[in-house]
Amino acid sequence: MSIRIVGTGSALPKRRVENREIVGLVDTSDAWIRERTGIAGRYISTGETVASLAAQACRRALEDAGKQAGEVELILAATCSPEEAAPCVACRIQKDIGAGNAVAFDLNAACSGFLFALHTAWAYVEAGICKNALIAGSEVLSKLVDWEDRGTCILFGDGAGAVYVEKCESGGILGFVMHADGQRGGVLAGGGRQLINPWAGRQDFRPFLEMDGREVFAFALRQVPVTVEEALGKSGLATGDIDLFVLHQANRRIIEGISKRLGADLARFPMNLEQVGNTSSAAIPLLLDQLRRQGRIERGMHLVLSGFGAGLTCGACAMEW
Ligand code: ACO
C-alpha cells in the first residue's frame, strides 16, 4: 500500500519582477544573477497571501483529480512564511475551498516542507488514519527578504503548488528518506518577530532571512545526491530507471552539480527557476504541476522528488507516477 499523486495545481502572484527591476535596488546585474543562479525573473506578491495562493493551487489540484472538496480527509500546508500565527494556513484553505470534512494543519521545514508534508500524508495513509490528502506548499517570502541584501533578494519568488494524493495498492511512492541537521541551522535563518511583553527587555531579532550562500550551496551538493541514492535504495530503483528528477529549484548550478554527482543526464532534471526563482516549499509542487500540464509526466513514469533547505533539512522520495 502507498499513495499516488492524482491531481496537481499551482498559483502565482500577478506581478512579475524581472532581474533588471532588482538591479535598481541593490548593486547587482541581470548578467550576474542569470550566470550565478539561472534566474531571470520571479513573481512577487502585491497582495496575494500564502493562504490565498495555496487555496487557488488546491482548487486546481482537486479539479485536476476530478474530486470534490468534501471528499478531502487531510489538508497539509507546508510554509515558512504565513502572514499570521493563527489560524494556520491549512485551516484557511479548508474554509476557502469548503473542505469541511478534512483535518488541517501546517508544517514548516522551509524549502523541504512540501516533501516533509508528503511524507506525513504517506505515513497517515499507511497508518490507516486517512485515505487521501491535499498537500500545499505555499510561500510569500518577499516579506521576509531584505531588499537591500543582494545575497538573498535576487533568489526568492512567491507562489504555491499543490497535489491531491490517494491511497493506492501498487506503484505510487516506493521509497522515502528525510534528514534534519539543526546543528547547522545558522547558515540560513531569520525572519523572526520581536519579543514584546511587559517583562522582556529590548531583544535582538532578525526580521529578514540571512544566509551563508556558499555553505548552503555546499550542503545541497553534498547532501542531495546521498539522500537521493538512499531513497532509490529503499525503492529498489536505480538512477538509470528514473525518467525525471524533480528537485528543489534553488540555483541552476546546484542542479547541474547534483546531476553530475548522480551520473544522470541534465535533460532528466527539469527546471522552472528561470521563470519563478526559488519559491521554497512551493518549488517542487509548482514544477510538478507545470510538467503535468505540459504533458511531460505520464502514468507509469518513475520520478525522484528531492528538496533541501533551512534547518538544515533535506529529503527525497522515489515514485511510480
Ligand atoms: N550581484 C553581484 N554580485 C554578488 C551578488 C549579486 N546579487 N551576490 C553576491 N555577489 C558577490 C559577492 O559579494 C562576492 O564578491 P567578492 O568576491 O568580491 O567577495 C562574489 O559575488 C561571489 O560571491 P559568492 O557568495 O561566492 O557567490 P556564489 O557564486 O556562491 O553565488 C549564491 C551566491 C547565488 C547565493 C549561491 O551561493 C547560492 O545559490 N547558494 C545557495 C543558496 C540557496 O540555495 N538558498 C536557498 C536555500 S532554500 C531555503 O531553505 C530558503
Side-chain angles (χ1 to χ4, degrees):
M1 185 177 57
S2 186
I3 57 169
R4 187 190 287 283
I5 297 175
V6 291
T8 63
S10 61
L12 289 165
K14 282 187 288 296
R15 178 70 159 91
R16 183 170 170 76
V17 174
E18 306 293 341
N19 287 344
R20 67 182 141 72
E21 294 179 74
I22 296 181
V23 173
L25 302 175
V26 290
D27 181 15
T28 188
S29 67
D30 177 45
W32 193 95
I33 301 171
R34 282 177 193 262
E35 191 198 313
R36 307 301 284 179
T37 70
I39 297 166
R42 73 285 293 143
Y43 293 84
I44 296 291
S45 167
T46 52
E48 296 92 345
T49 64
V50 170
S52 70
L53 290 166
Q56 205 178 341
C58 283
R59 251 184 241 108
R60 289 176 178 156
L62 279 181
E63 199 180 292
D64 186 41
K67 300 290 173 184
Q68 300 301 315
E71 295 175 66
V72 178
E73 295 178 25
L74 173 67
I75 301 174
L76 297 175
T79 184
C80 60
S81 56
E83 279 77 23
E84 293 176 323
C88 69
V89 172
C91 282
R92 288 172 191 266
I93 297 172
Q94 187 219 36
K95 173 174 169 260
D96 278 13
I97 68 173
N101 298 316
V103 167
F105 60 92
D106 290 3
L107 188 154
N108 175 4
C111 299
S112 306
F114 171 77
L115 274 187
F116 280 45
L118 185 62
H119 188 265
T120 305
W122 185 51
Y124 267 52
V125 172
E126 293 249 323
I129 298 168
C130 61
K131 294 185 293 301
N132 67 50
L134 194 51
I135 306 161
S138 183
E139 304 285 4
V140 177
L141 279 176
S142 57
K143 62 180 178 283
L144 300 181
V145 162
D146 180 356
W147 290 96
E148 294 180 357
D149 173 17
R150 67 178 182 174
T152 51
C153 75
I154 57 159
L155 298 172
F156 298 105
D158 302 331
V163 300
Y164 175 83
V165 300
E166 235 170 39
K167 179 175 160 182
C168 63
E169 295 307 328
S170 65
I173 290 174
L174 304 171
F176 222 132
V177 176
M178 291 181 307
H179 295 293
D181 180 2
Q183 293 290 342
R184 288 191 294 151
V187 301
L188 176 47
R193 295 190 186 93
Q194 195 160 14
L195 178 62
I196 303 172
N197 67 47
W199 304 277
R202 196 178 157 76
Q203 307 284 318
D204 280 339
F205 81 113
R206 290 180 288 183
F208 301 120
L209 281 176
E210 293 169 20
M211 179 177 71
D212 181 337
R214 284 183 209 187
E215 276 297 317
V216 178
F217 196 102
F219 166 76
L221 273 191
R222 196 174 49 247
Q223 194 59 47
V224 174
V226 173
T227 309
V228 167
E229 298 278 12
E230 286 172 349
L232 285 171
K234 287 198 172 195
S235 70
L237 296 168
T239 310
D241 298 322
I242 302 303
D243 297 291
L244 292 175
F245 293 85
V246 180
L247 302 191
H248 175 50
Q249 303 286 297
N251 184 315
R252 184 180 174 87
R253 291 187 295 136
I254 291 177
I255 296 174
E256 286 169 351
I258 293 168
S259 106
K260 266 200 197 114
R261 288 193 186 195
L262 286 171
D265 183 4
L266 190 62
R268 288 191 275 153
F269 291 74
M271 290 182 230
N272 66 357
L273 58 86
E274 184 178 359
Q275 294 83 39
V276 301
N278 178 350
T279 57
S280 189
S281 69
I284 291 174
L286 182 52
L287 179 55
L288 277 178
D289 184 49
Q290 292 175 340
L291 293 168
R292 279 256 300 108
R293 286 169 202 270
Q294 290 161 10
R296 291 177 65 189
I297 303 181
E298 287 166 11
R299 280 275 161 257
M301 280 173 73
H302 290 112
L303 268 67
V304 161
L305 313 184
S306 181
F308 66 92
L312 294 171
T313 53
C314 187
C317 77
M319 62 170 69
E320 183 187 303
W321 190 267

